[in-house]
Amino acid sequence: MEILDKRNFEEKIFKILMIFSLLVVLSSLIIIVGIVLFRGGSSLSLDMITQVSTGELYQSGTGGILNAIIGSLLLALPATGLAYIFGIFIALFLQKDFLHPRISVFIRLSLDILWGIPSIIYGVFCVMIMMFLGFGTSLLAGIIALTFLEIPIITRSIDESIKMVPDGLKESAYSLGSTRFETAVRVVRKQALPGIIAGVLLGLGRGIGDAASILFTAGFTSNIPTSLLDSTSALPTMIYFLYLSPNPLAQQKAYAAAFILLVIVLTISILSRALTKKSTKYVIK
Amino acid sequence: MDEKIEQQIETKNLNVTIDNNHILKNINVKIPAKKLTAIIGPSGCGKTTLLKSFNRLLEIRDDVKINGKIIVDNINILSPKLNVPDIRKKMGLLSQKPYPLPMSIYENVAYGLKIHHRISGKKLDETVENCLREAGIWGEVKDRLHDPASKLSVGQQQRLCLARAIAVQPEVLLCDEPTSALDPIAAQQIEKLLDKLKKDFTVVLVTHTLRQAKRLADYVIFLYFGYVIEQGPANQVFDDPKQPETKAYIKGDIS
């Protein structure tokens, strides 16, 4: 009887801990969105997304951040695309079909370490590349920095979802006479698609929200970039500089910009899931 | 074995070691063409390993060592010079649990046709239909060819896998306990199909149900702890087994 009481007690504590943890995380999410809306909502206007920033923006908080919105998209989308291309090939290569597990263990470990490297290090590293190749702060340099930042994230996420593909499915493809390439691209990739999308979105979220890696590489400007070698602003750096302003109106704009960033990430996430829904319904459970 | 019967697969001193466990020991078997050969024996005796060595599927694992010869059409398929997908193309596989490809029903059958024969359009449609008919599933899927294959029942999936294997035009069908995950009715459908298909294909069936082997087999190989204890025509092995282990297994003393 006593033992049963103890076990029931454990069960209750366990349940309370689970609910408590969930509530802490959920409520902080709601609070973040709430504060961003509360502080920035009043300065959300059409001007915000139709006008480019000027010096006035930091002084008196008038004007928009169109250049940062476009800059962020021009930085993060190509970087995510590039990181996906590298990531999917590395992830497929890491599977036991191609690489001996003894070797892939080390590659996975180094990718995990890369994942943990602070993004400012990627920024500094890219400055070295820029100096070597002889170009300054630019869209191109920012894209390169973000690509490096996103590659470990996207690769490891895709890798984990591909690892979950059952051996039986691969065996089916092989016994039909598929080459390893056909099996990887036509079968494994399709089966792992939901995980691949999640991994790409994870990388995109990290890339579009990162300020440190683009601070030295993409630069900061009021102009919308017209070539790969132009400097560009981005939302994270814009938020940083707006928040530094002593003018409370400019600080409000920082929250408004943060809200726009949230909306962009959410829109891309919903869009990509909707677009791939057709192909994910074929996944074998 | 009767010398007149054409041989499809022959192994010579085949030894397989997986993760330093000696699974198959000096296997010498002959599998006749266009017949149904059942590989029987208690679980864990190496039946599936033997089957998967025939299409070099064992090599997907990195800790496998294979020695000896497996001769198919006068060629040792273990020779490192050969192109493995070509060997596998000759050997369709029906696994224990059906794994349809993550595509539509139609694409599952078309997959092999596309990668090997590069056919498309109307000819592809016709061939897909023929394969689905051959596997006895056409009537059930003809109105929903473009639905995901995962929506089918397990029994239907297994017949789809059969259709998909036939589409590649293999010489051999390797069946690894293909009915063990199915309900009795679905299992019976598969058995009937295998019985029909052995006219055109060499069927190798791994089974742990003795009754299934008795119903279907023309030729039987009895494996026990990695050794071939007995092999021969089904009636001979079942009615007049020579070895004590075979007698005990068929009587039901060991399982």
Side-chain angles (χ1 to χ4, degrees):
Chain A
M1 210 49 208
E2 225 170 70
I3 296 173
L4 192 64
D5 280 350
K6 189 173 166 257
R7 291 175 65 203
N8 280 338
F9 180 68
E10 274 176 2
E11 186 89 351
K12 269 186 195 134
I13 296 284
F14 185 56
K15 203 175 164 188
I16 290 170
L17 281 176
M18 288 193 296
I19 294 173
F20 175 74
S21 313
L22 181 69
L23 284 181
V24 168
V25 174
L26 266 187
S27 51
S28 51
L29 268 178
I30 294 167
I31 291 169
I32 289 173
V33 177
I35 287 183
V36 166
L37 256 184
F38 176 71
R39 295 260 179 111
S42 56
S43 44
L44 270 176
S45 61
L46 207 57
D47 282 359
M48 271 297 273
I49 54 171
T50 53
Q51 288 181 20
V52 297
S53 65
T54 57
E56 282 294 295
L57 184 65
Y58 314 101
Q59 304 292 326
S60 60
T62 52
I65 54 162
L66 178 66
N67 54 324
I69 296 173
I70 292 177
S72 262
L73 293 174
L74 287 179
L75 282 167
L77 293 181
T80 308
L82 282 172
Y84 166 70
I85 293 169
F86 282 106
I88 186 101
F89 281 112
I90 301 171
L92 285 170
F93 188 55
L94 284 175
Q95 307 312 308
K96 60 176 186 282
D97 312 69
F98 290 95
L99 209 58
H100 197 286
R102 262 201 298 261
I103 303 168
S104 45
V105 159
F106 283 105
I107 301 179
R108 288 195 172 109
L109 183 68
S110 29
L111 284 168
D112 287 343
I113 293 169
L114 285 176
W115 189 332
I117 288 182
S119 53
I120 188 110
I121 311 277
Y122 286 105
V124 175
F125 169 67
C126 277
V127 171
M128 272 168 54
I129 297 182
M130 283 149 61
M131 276 157 60
F132 181 74
L133 294 176
F135 60 91
T137 54
S138 60
L139 184 59
L140 179 64
I143 291 173
I144 294 173
L146 286 184
T147 307
F148 277 118
L149 177 73
E150 289 183 31
I151 282 176
I153 302 170
I154 294 184
T155 308
R156 283 295 278 130
S157 311
I158 295 180
D159 175 37
E160 287 300 324
S161 65
I162 289 180
K163 258 203 286 187
M164 302 297 287
V165 173
D167 281 346
L169 185 60
K170 289 195 213 169
E171 286 184 3
S172 291
Y174 285 128
S175 4
L176 291 169
S178 315
T179 60
R180 288 185 297 178
F181 172 75
E182 285 160 346
T183 307
V185 174
R186 290 181 175 225
V187 178
V188 172
R189 192 181 51 91
K190 278 190 183 148
Q191 174 70 11
L193 194 61
I196 292 174
I197 296 163
V200 171
L201 289 176
L202 199 63
L204 176 81
R206 180 79 197 278
I208 205 166
D210 195 71
S213 60
I214 54 168
L215 199 57
F216 306 134
T217 50
F220 198 71
T221 165
S222 297
N223 304 321
I224 294 171
T226 52
S227 91
L228 273 175
L229 294 173
D230 285 353
S231 307
T232 179
S233 300
L235 284 168
T237 41
M238 179 66 88
I239 293 167
Y240 174 70
F241 286 116
L242 281 172
Y243 196 73
L244 283 184
S245 161
N247 186 325
L249 280 174
Q251 286 181 11
Q252 276 183 15
K253 292 266 175 181
Y255 283 102
F259 181 73
I260 292 172
L261 185 56
L262 279 178
V263 171
I264 290 176
V265 173
L266 203 65
T267 313
I268 294 175
S269 170
I270 292 171
L271 264 182
S272 54
R273 274 170 213 280
L275 287 175
T276 47
K277 205 177 171 195
K278 239 183 112 180
S279 9
T280 48
K281 73 175 179 189
Y282 294 109
V283 170
I284 305 296
K285 274 145 212 138
Chain B
M1 192 167 70
D2 195 336
E3 280 305 314
K4 278 178 287 182
I5 296 174
E6 192 193 341
Q7 272 165 34
Q8 183 77 55
I9 305 173
E10 184 179 357
T11 67
K12 286 183 178 164
N13 293 324
L14 181 70
N15 279 280
V16 175
T17 312
I18 300 179
D19 196 16
N20 293 325
N21 292 319
H22 202 169
I23 308 285
L24 294 179
K25 296 152 190 164
N26 285 321
I27 303 287
N28 289 292
V29 293
K30 292 175 179 176
I31 292 174
K34 309 267 160 91
K35 294 266 188 278
L36 195 148
T37 301
I39 303 177
I40 58 170
S43 34
C45 69
K47 303 188 294 284
T48 300
T49 307
L50 180 59
L51 190 79
K52 286 187 176 172
S53 65
F54 292 156
N55 70 347
R56 292 187 61 171
L57 211 50
L58 287 180
E59 292 161 41
I60 297 176
R61 296 186 56 163
D62 56 87
D63 47 3
V64 175
K65 287 194 194 84
I66 307 171
N67 283 305
K69 281 182 180 171
I70 300 175
I71 294 170
V72 180
D73 297 337
N74 298 319
I75 298 166
N76 177 20
I77 59 161
L78 293 181
S79 154
K81 279 174 290 184
L82 295 176
N83 182 18
V84 181
D86 285 343
I87 299 166
R88 294 192 181 132
K89 192 181 156 228
K90 281 189 190 172
M91 312 257 183
L93 177 79
L94 215 52
S95 53
Q96 209 164 347
K97 178 183 182 300
Y99 276 105
L101 303 173
M103 308 164 188
S104 69
I105 296 167
Y106 178 92
E107 286 296 329
N108 258 275
V109 184
Y111 176 85
L113 295 164
K114 280 181 181 167
I115 61 171
H116 294 298
H117 307 296
R118 310 250 170 233
I119 60 171
S120 57
K122 212 169 169 198
K123 182 136 188 277
L124 185 63
D125 291 348
E126 280 168 16
T127 321
V128 169
E129 182 179 334
N130 287 339
C131 296
L132 288 167
R133 278 186 195 280
E134 188 95 339
I137 189 180
W138 173 252
E140 291 152 70
V141 300
K142 63 172 191 275
D143 299 323
R144 47 169 178 156
L145 285 175
H146 298 286
D147 278 9
S150 54
K151 292 255 172 76
L152 297 172
S153 72
V154 186
Q156 289 172 325
Q157 287 183 6
Q158 193 63 293
R159 277 178 287 147
L160 178 67
C161 290
L162 194 56
R164 173 181 79 179
I166 295 170
V168 183
Q169 294 172 334
E171 293 171 14
V172 184
L173 286 175
L174 304 171
C175 308
D176 184 12
E177 300 184 19
T179 60
S180 62
L182 308 183
D183 63 79
I185 294 168
Q188 206 185 12
Q189 287 171 320
I190 295 285
E191 283 193 12
K192 274 187 185 159
L193 284 166
L194 293 179
D195 203 39
K196 183 188 86 177
L197 289 168
K198 72 181 186 189
K199 280 197 283 294
D200 304 312
F201 302 94
T202 302
V203 182
V204 186
L205 173 74
V206 163
T207 178
H208 60 198
T209 45
L210 204 52
R211 270 171 295 168
Q212 188 175 53
K214 282 182 179 166
R215 280 194 296 269
L216 296 172
D218 302 309
Y219 194 80
V220 173
I221 295 168
F222 175 57
L223 278 182
Y224 194 60
F225 288 111
Y227 292 101
V228 173
I229 303 294
E230 193 156 350
Q231 58 178 317
N235 49 7
Q236 188 189 313
V237 176
F238 288 131
D239 300 339
D240 183 23
K242 302 276 183 291
Q243 303 298 327
E245 290 92 339
T246 324
K247 276 179 198 163
Y249 184 72
I250 287 168
K251 252 178 76 188
D253 292 346
I254 48 176
S255 61

